């Protein structure tokens, strides 16, 4: 769930350089009395509600940086990136890169836009359900 920062692995500067042309690349640092966290994400693919509810709010509620790091690293939406390519792939998929002390964590905050289940309008149904498929595979499988 974390990657140690060193010259052979992922660096924040290298990632920012690779994503330099992205107009919606957000680079923020949040600070409290016990520490700081660097956030890097792409606004158009990361869900701002997940970011606020699961990343930023807990940071301000924790009592120390170690507790917050343990929370982030054990959260089910955390992912490990062992290569630079994997780090870029995760960011482009909607993950948030968190720089904690000497560690990077990637937190799943994918923005999933789905429409509701509607009746089919293109084809007439003579027998069976008349529900149309959606963009979400999990919803389709449940139907």
């Amino acid at each position: 769930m974390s990657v140690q920062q060193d010259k052979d692995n992922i660096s924040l500067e290298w990632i920012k350089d690779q994503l330099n042309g992205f107009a919606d690349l957000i680079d923020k640092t949040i600070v409290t009395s016990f520490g700081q966290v660097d956030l890097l994400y792409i606004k158009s693919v990361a869900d701002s509600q997940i970011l606020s509810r699961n990343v930023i709010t807990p940071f301000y509620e924790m009592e120390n940086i170690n507790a917050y790091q343990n929370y982030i690293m054990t959260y089910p939406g955390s992912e490990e990136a062992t290569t630079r390519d994997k780090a870029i792939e995760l960011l482009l998929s909607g993950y948030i890169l968190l720089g904690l002390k000497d560690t990077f964590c990637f937190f799943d905050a994918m923005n999933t836009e789905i429409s509701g289940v509607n009746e089919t309008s293109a084809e007439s149904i003579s027998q069976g359900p008349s529900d149309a498929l959606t963009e979400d595979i999990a919803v389709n499988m449940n139907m």
Side-chain angles (χ1 to χ4, degrees):
M1 311 243 174
S2 66
V3 176
Q4 296 298 320
Q5 293 180 20
D6 62 43
K7 61 185 173 187
D8 295 330
N9 284 332
I10 302 161
S11 73
L12 195 57
E13 294 76 26
W14 182 85
I15 291 173
K16 284 192 238 181
D17 186 48
Q18 295 301 307
L19 300 175
N20 191 23
F22 283 69
D24 59 348
L25 180 67
I26 306 297
D27 179 16
K28 286 188 175 188
T29 300
I30 54 176
V31 180
T32 64
S33 60
F34 61 79
Q36 74 177 32
V37 174
D38 298 312
L39 301 174
L40 188 66
Y41 62 97
I42 299 172
K43 187 177 182 177
S44 60
V45 294
D47 189 333
S48 62
Q49 289 181 358
I50 292 173
L51 172 66
S52 177
R53 182 178 51 241
N54 298 339
V55 176
I56 295 174
T57 301
F59 177 71
Y60 289 112
E61 293 174 348
M62 297 282 171
E63 297 179 13
N64 62 54
I65 196 74
N66 291 331
Y68 182 71
Q69 185 174 2
N70 289 336
Y71 161 76
I72 291 295
M73 292 175 70
T74 58
Y75 196 86
S78 293
E79 180 83 21
E80 181 176 4
T82 55
T83 66
R84 290 176 170 185
D85 290 339
K86 182 68 174 177
I88 297 294
E89 179 185 328
L90 289 173
L91 281 170
L92 293 175
S93 298
Y95 282 72
I96 300 166
L97 180 138
L98 289 90
L100 296 161
K101 297 191 301 185
D102 61 346
T103 305
F104 284 137
C105 299
F106 294 86
F107 192 89
D108 182 5
M110 284 187 222
N111 188 8
T112 54
E113 298 284 332
I114 60 169
S115 58
V117 177
N118 298 319
E119 286 194 30
T120 58
S121 59
E123 297 177 2
S124 61
I125 305 290
S126 60
Q127 184 178 355
S130 59
D131 295 331
L133 298 176
T134 68
E135 296 87 8
D136 188 5
I137 189 72
V139 172
N140 292 338
M141 296 295 289
N142 285 330
M143 287 194 307

